[in-house]
Each structure stands twice: as structure tokens, then as C-alpha cells.
Amino acid sequence: MPSIKNAEFVKSSANLSGCPEDIRPEYAFIGRSNVGKSSLINMLTGRNKLAKISSRPGKTQLINHFLVDGKWYLVDLPGYGWAKVSKADKERWKIMIHEYLLRRRNLLNVFLLVDSRHEPQKNDLNFMMWMGQHQIPFSLIFTKIDKLGGTKLQKNLASYREALRKDWEELPPYFEVSNVKKIGGDEIIDYINRINQTVKA
Ligand code: GTP
Ligand code: MG
């Protein structure tokens, strides 16, 4: 059973040069505002208040580094796609996130979170395309599965995969989580541990 023994907040950074030294494996969480990125970090680390969460979108504004067991980083990023954000803020987000994702050398995988209740959204699909074009390795995490019954969930996931097949020959690995019911965390930690092992080898 995989588990995280210790997790600590390291720092919040407004740009790449503010991030901690790039000497440890790193995993980032991204996706639309309110999808549950910060909540997932809390579930994975077993620390309810490690990352700040809110029912209002736009809570996370900076690049937040958390050190896990003294060995690797989890990174909480601000969300995109929130209608009330000004053009200037959207542009700031894009510059910050693109710089981070394109140039962070120790970033081993990006987890893109999508809400399991919704149809595939254009900005999520575009964001995947962008990561694909830049050869940034990513996986998908379907969140808030507690809000759907099993049949509806499977139907939504199937239609999501169907939409992805239009753009992708090979589908990315995907996970299903509920941060509320604490489901799906072990699989993600397992996946991260396996990648960490390949770096050590
Ligand atoms: P930003 O920082 O604004 O980009 O949002 P975020 O993606 O970090 O979302 P956050 O973790 O702050 O959660 C947003 C809201 O969704 C909060 O009210 C959470 O309690 C709720 N939430 C998160 N995960 C789940 C889940 O698995 N199930 C349910 N039912 N609610 C969730
Ligand atoms: Mg957040």
C-alpha cells in the first residue's frame, strides 16, 4: 500500500526563476479552476489543510511547491477557464504556466484534472494538444466521481475517451478520484513512485 509519510509546504512562486532548485522529481497538477487540484494534493498527502482550497474558483494563484518525504515535489498550479477572469489575468496565467511547463527540467509528469460530470471541454482538449505538441508527458485525472452514480460515470468516461480518440492515436493514462470520499489516491501515488524508480535507475 503506497503512502506518503511526510509532506511540507516549501514555497509559492510567481515565476519559474522563483521555484525551488530543480534537483528532485516533480509532478504538477493543472486543470480548470475549481476542478479539485488543491483538494487532491491534500488527499494524496493526507493533510487536510496543506493546500488552500475554496468553493470559489480562482483560489490558487501561484506555483506552489510541496516536498514529499524529503524526496520529490508535488506542485499545485492555478486553474484556467474561469469566466470572470480579466484578459490581463488570463495572459499572466498563460505566461507563468507556459514558462513553467516548458522549462522546468525536473518536471516528470503533468496531471490534468477534469471534472467527471462534464462533457470534454474545448479548453481542456486544447491544453492537451498544446502539451502534446511540446512533448510534455501528461496523464488525466477525472475528479468528483462521488457526484455521479457508477453507470453515469462509466458513460461519461467512455464518451471522454471517444472524444480524445479524434485527436490522439494513443490515449494518456487516466485515473478516477473523489477527494471527498478519498478514492483513487493510492493509484496516483503508485504511478508517481513507479516514475521515481525509473529516475533512480
Ligand atoms: P483553483 O485553485 O481555484 O484553480 O481550484 P482547485 O482546482 O484547486 O479546486 P479546490 O481543490 O479548491 O476545490 C474546489 C471545490 O471543489 C471545493 O469546494 C472542494 O471542496 C470541491 N471538491 C474538490 N474535490 C472534490 C471531490 O472529489 N468531490 C466533491 N464533491 N467536491 C470536491
Ligand atoms: Mg487550487
Side-chain angles (χ1 to χ4, degrees), residues 60-127:
T60 310
Q61 295 280 342
L62 296 165
I63 303 168
N64 297 287
H65 277 79
F66 301 92
L67 181 61
V68 179
D69 293 336
K71 293 194 183 110
W72 48 277
Y73 291 117
L74 284 177
V75 176
D76 192 13
L77 297 171
Y80 55 82
W82 181 32
K84 284 181 186 159
V85 168
S86 70
K87 218 174 165 186
D89 281 344
K90 275 186 198 155
E91 198 50 36
R92 226 188 339 266
W93 181 92
K94 200 167 153 181
I95 291 167
M96 173 169 80
I97 298 300
H98 283 196
E99 183 197 29
Y100 167 78
L101 294 176
L102 291 171
R103 300 201 13 232
R104 185 70 173 162
R105 288 187 312 178
N106 55 328
L107 179 63
L108 299 186
N109 191 64
V110 175
F111 291 97
L112 172 63
L113 280 68
V114 296
D115 192 321
S116 60
R117 293 170 298 174
H118 301 154
E119 295 286 302
Q121 308 278 308
K122 194 82 198 149
N123 52 2
D124 292 329
L125 296 173
N126 287 344
F127 191 66

Side-chain angles (χ1 to χ4, degrees), residues 8-73:
E8 59 189 285
F9 170 70
V10 179
K11 71 180 299 196
S12 299
S13 319
N15 53 39
L16 181 71
S17 60
C19 291
E21 206 187 343
D22 53 2
I23 53 169
R24 296 184 176 90
E26 183 159 312
Y27 301 88
F29 296 88
I30 201 156
R32 294 158 70 80
S33 292
N34 208 245
V35 72
K37 302 176 291 294
S38 303
S39 305
L40 178 60
I41 287 186
N42 292 344
M43 174 172 78
L44 294 177
T45 57
R47 296 265 310 272
N48 261 342
K49 291 184 180 155
L50 190 61
K52 288 186 188 145
I53 71 157
S54 167
S55 56
R56 285 181 47 224
K59 179 69 184 173
T60 310
Q61 295 280 342
L62 296 165
I63 303 168
N64 297 287
H65 277 79
F66 301 92
L67 181 61
V68 179
D69 293 336
K71 293 194 183 110
W72 48 277
Y73 291 117

